[in-house]
Amino acid sequence: MGALPGTAATGMTVNTALCFRGKKILAPMVRVGTLPMRLLALDYGADIVYCEELIDIKMLQCKRIINEVLETVDFIAPNERVVFRTCERERHCVVFQMGSADAERALAVAKLVENDVAGIDINMGCPKEYSTKDFSGFNSINFFVLMITTKMTRLSEGGMGAALLSDPDRIESILTTLVKGICKPVTCKIRILPSVEDTVNLVKRIEKTGVAAIAVHGRKKEERPQHPVHCDVIKAISEAVSIPVIANGGSHDFIKEYTDIETFQKATAASSVMIARAAMWNPSIFRKEGFVPLKDVMQNYIKYAVRYDNHYTNTKYCLCQMLREQLETTQGKKLHAAQSTQEICEAFEMADFYEKSTAIFEAKKTSSETETQNEDDQLEDPDVIKMAVRFDKREYPPQITPKMYLLEWCRKEKHPQPVYETVQRPLDRLFCSVVTVAEQKYRSTLWDKSKKLAEQAAAIVCLRTLGVPEGKLCEGENHLISKRKREDQEHLNNRDHGEDLAEPSHKKANFIEESSDRNVRKMPQ
Ligand code: FNR
């Protein structure tokens, strides 16, 4: 993989603050602006790359994972799909674009990704219904029908995108919250309003929020991509504010090749130029020496797609955008028919590359699995008592867990509180916990989906080894449960007598399960 373009820098951090003056920028583009396209644009000379717009609600459901096989940082949705994938190579120059209509949610997402990106952008230019429409009045059936009829695949609550343009208070709130709340530069991308004056006033208001730059797509909300771009409006904005203005919208009329980028910049008096379609058709538009033949561009794109395990449907979509008029050629037809990354590679006579690359991946996966095994081996301390058990909540009364029983037993026996140490395997992200009780370690040999479950399993191993009841429904009466029942009964009696319902703290501590972190620090009374 080392021979692939742009991968050599992995592991290096370039810690520069983003500057938006004199830059050539890859625009955010849904489906197009994924990692392979961004890296290719950087290779060809783009200075800054924006990711495709990602919706705040969807991002908030994601987990951040370090993918050791691909050497990427992945944000993974609950359905295991990669929502955002990035890597060290672009860390200093990728701007994360988000769709949001809510300041707090936007901030939460920004904090989630802040350390992996160079800046955060709020999209205020998307005119599509799924972004702009306020769905609060819809019932679930209407909403479902609308989702199907508009082929809406993105989770959204509307009020985002271009709808924000008519809600400057909300714009102000989102941008101010972001600027105050994160350390990275914040930008936003707008479309122009019906009047130049209103547009300039809006941008002046946006400037006051402290954003580092503003990207202006020089079209109105209702204008289509083939309508002429309003360079005069972008120019009026550039002259009215002192923050960098990034001119966008020139692909159709202006930007046919590299030298046109400067022409567009001059026509708009902007600080930087952002390119979408011209870069989607041929990302080597950013190359000052001129275009690279499309065949080479597509092959380089495929290399990145394979290297970063891009979903084949996305790879296919981007290649179709590049092939455009050539979709009817033999190669175009093969691409159209391809149902996997392998078949795409075959269509581009890159079957050998695919084989070699996947062999390298397999080797990496195997070595990562071996590392995982080694981690297991480290846990294979012969002094640790092990059993293959899992915690199943259904086997216990509500609010009762093995961890509580173990804590209670330790108190009774005057042992220090149990100490849980949990590790997570990078490969499958499962957890294993080791609990230390009276200087003896216990663990389950089964790995769990969460830290909580892993700790409960470790507690069960300990309780079973010690022959102490673990609180299961099937155990029936035992001294600990009896004690608890007695306490509950006392508590009820107190209630019946109208006494204070709050439990004395020493009693409450008995059956409150503390997290392992707190367990380490807090000793019971
Ligand atoms: C876009 N555009 C866009 N804009 C944005 O802010 N976020 C996004 O996710 C997308 N998605 C997107 C997908 C595709 C396929 C296209 C073609 C466009 C709009 C884009 O960034 C840009 O504003 C316009 O295309 C105008 O710029 P060009 O194409 O004239 O350079």
Side-chain angles (χ1 to χ4, degrees):
M1 293 291 156
L4 293 179
T7 56
T10 302
M12 277 174 55
T13 308
V14 184
N15 213 357
T16 48
L18 266 191
C19 158
F20 291 91
R21 290 188 197 276
K23 297 293 188 281
K24 301 180 296 291
I25 302 173
L26 176 71
M29 280 180 281
V30 164
R31 296 198 77 189
V32 179
T34 51
L35 185 59
M37 180 59 90
R38 300 198 302 266
L39 294 180
L40 199 57
L42 288 174
D43 284 348
Y44 287 131
D47 303 295
I48 296 171
V49 289
Y50 276 58
C51 78
E52 61 175 329
E53 180 198 48
L54 295 164
I55 306 300
D56 57 1
I57 298 176
K58 190 164 187 175
M59 279 303 296
L60 284 176
Q61 298 171 345
C62 291
K63 258 190 177 181
R64 178 188 183 275
I65 301 295
I66 293 177
N67 185 326
E68 295 191 349
V69 174
L70 299 180
E71 296 167 359
T72 55
V73 175
D74 296 347
F75 291 83
I76 313 270
N79 64 4
E80 296 294 313
R81 287 206 125 187
V82 178
V83 175
F84 177 56
R85 170 166 286 162
T86 183
C87 67
E88 187 62 29
R89 160 88 162 92
E90 65 169 5
R91 181 139 78 110
H92 63 289
C93 52
V94 63
V95 176
F96 178 89
Q97 190 190 61
M98 153 180 22
S100 181
D102 181 88
E104 291 312 316
R105 263 202 323 262
L107 181 61
V109 174
K111 287 191 163 172
L112 181 70
V113 299
E114 184 181 12
N115 292 332
D116 299 306
V117 299
I120 302 286
D121 180 82
I122 295 289
N123 186 14
M124 301 176 183
C126 182
K128 299 256 165 66
E129 198 175 38
Y130 52 67
S131 268
T132 55
K133 194 155 179 87
D134 181 358
F135 293 112
S136 50
F138 276 65
N139 65 32
S140 55
I141 295 172
N142 283 342
F143 187 75
F144 186 62
V145 170
L146 182 104
M147 278 179 65
I148 293 170
T149 52
T150 60
K151 293 205 178 79
M152 174 178 150
T153 51
R154 292 190 293 164
L155 193 56
S156 139
E157 66 154 19
M160 300 182 299
L164 279 175
L165 295 175
S166 49
D167 194 349
D169 290 342
R170 203 189 291 223
I171 293 180
E172 207 172 74
S173 144
I174 295 173
L175 295 177
T176 317
T177 306
L178 286 176
V179 170
K180 283 190 189 145
I182 61 168
C183 302
K184 295 285 166 73
V186 176
T187 62
C188 69
K189 180 163 175 275
I190 64 162
R191 279 183 175 236
I192 60 173
L193 299 176
S195 94
V196 183
E197 197 190 347
D198 287 346
T199 315
V200 169
N201 286 339
L202 176 69
V203 176
K204 280 185 174 170
R205 214 171 148 181
I206 288 174
E207 182 181 32
K208 288 203 185 108
T209 64
V211 291
I214 181 164
V216 182
H217 177 186
R219 290 189 180 83
K220 295 172 195 159
K221 202 164 68 175
E222 58 286 350
E223 285 179 329
R224 299 294 94 217
Q226 61 277 12
H227 286 131
V229 59
H230 300 273
C231 290
D232 53 329
V233 182
I234 305 180
K235 189 162 186 267
I237 295 169
S238 302
E239 286 163 355
V241 293
S242 45
I243 51 168
V245 170
I246 304 165
N248 171 244
S251 283
H252 196 260
D253 318 313
F254 270 89
I255 305 171
K256 303 273 178 258
E257 58 186 14
Y258 181 84
T259 47
D260 299 332
I261 300 175
E262 198 182 330
T263 314
F264 185 54
Q265 185 175 355
K266 284 195 176 137
T268 54
S271 296
S272 294
V273 171
M274 175 183 267
I275 307 173
R277 287 166 297 165
M280 171 176 83
W281 297 324
N282 189 336
S284 69
I285 184 91
F286 290 110
R287 191 170 171 268
K288 65 173 178 299
E289 298 83 8
F291 281 119
V292 167
L294 198 58
K295 182 173 171 280
D296 297 344
V297 173
M298 289 194 291
Q299 288 197 340
N300 286 337
Y301 175 81
I302 291 170
K303 285 181 185 171
Y304 274 133
V306 174
R307 163 69 181 83
Y308 288 104
D309 197 20
N310 203 43
H311 197 278
Y312 86 91
T313 53
N314 183 266
T315 305
K316 194 169 150 175
Y317 178 83
C318 292
L319 289 168
C320 284
Q321 299 300 323
M322 293 183 211
L323 266 187
R324 292 214 285 170
E325 287 97 26
Q326 298 168 46
L327 278 171
E328 286 310 311
T329 61
T330 316
Q331 188 170 58
K333 283 179 183 159
K334 276 191 193 165
L335 174 64
H336 190 70
Q339 290 301 316
S340 64
T341 301
Q342 184 172 7
E343 287 175 23
I344 293 173
C345 288
E346 281 161 9
F348 285 82
E349 284 139 26
M350 293 174 74
D352 276 0
F353 172 82
Y354 179 80
E355 263 175 39
K356 279 185 193 141
S357 304
T358 44
I360 295 173
F361 274 141
E362 285 312 316
K364 272 190 139 188
K365 262 192 203 158
T366 312
S367 90
S368 178
E369 272 160 9
T370 313
E371 271 171 34
T372 304
Q373 187 57 49
N374 290 342
E375 276 161 27
D376 268 4
D377 292 345
Q378 280 170 25
L379 288 166
E380 284 309 314
D381 179 347
D383 295 335
V384 179
I385 295 177
K386 292 177 281 282
M387 262 180 225
V389 293
R390 270 198 219 290
F391 170 63
D392 182 350
K393 205 165 172 267
R394 290 164 304 182
E395 295 177 349
Y396 295 80
Q399 319 298 336
I400 299 292
T401 66
K403 274 184 74 182
M404 290 175 182
Y405 265 64
L406 185 56
L407 182 61
E408 180 74 4
W409 183 83
C410 288
R411 283 174 178 156
K412 197 171 130 287
E413 299 296 321
K414 309 247 179 314
H415 289 307
Q417 191 168 349
V419 175
Y420 295 87
E421 287 167 277
T422 307
V423 291
Q424 186 183 21
R425 284 200 298 221
L427 196 70
D428 52 15
R429 310 199 293 276
L430 295 179
F431 295 84
C432 178
S433 188
V434 177
V435 63
T436 307
V437 171
E439 294 177 17
Q440 173 63 58
K441 291 181 190 296
Y442 306 85
R443 66 166 277 225
S444 170
T445 52
L446 306 180
W447 291 67
D448 275 295
K449 275 189 193 154
S450 73
K451 181 172 172 259
K452 277 185 184 167
L453 288 172
E455 288 178 353
Q456 297 294 1
I460 294 173
V461 176
C462 176
L463 289 164
R464 284 194 194 164
T465 308
L466 297 169
V468 176
E470 56 195 78
K472 274 173 126 177
L473 284 166
C474 61
E475 279 171 356
E477 289 283 305
N478 63 61
H479 67 288
L480 280 165
I481 290 177
S482 304
K483 179 171 180 262
R484 177 170 162 70
K485 277 191 177 160
R486 264 201 318 280
E487 284 172 353
D488 286 351
Q489 195 53 53
E490 275 169 28
H491 181 62
L492 280 176
N493 290 344
N494 289 343
R495 260 170 86 166
D496 291 344
H497 291 102
E499 290 182 23
D500 188 354
L501 284 180
E503 273 186 300
S505 57
H506 71 277
K507 237 193 233 180
K508 201 159 47 175
N510 279 345
F511 281 93
I512 287 182
E513 188 181 302
E514 294 173 355
S515 84
S516 57
D517 300 343
R518 280 189 289 150
N519 278 346
V520 177
R521 275 178 258 120
K522 274 193 197 165
M523 293 296 285
Q525 300 296 312

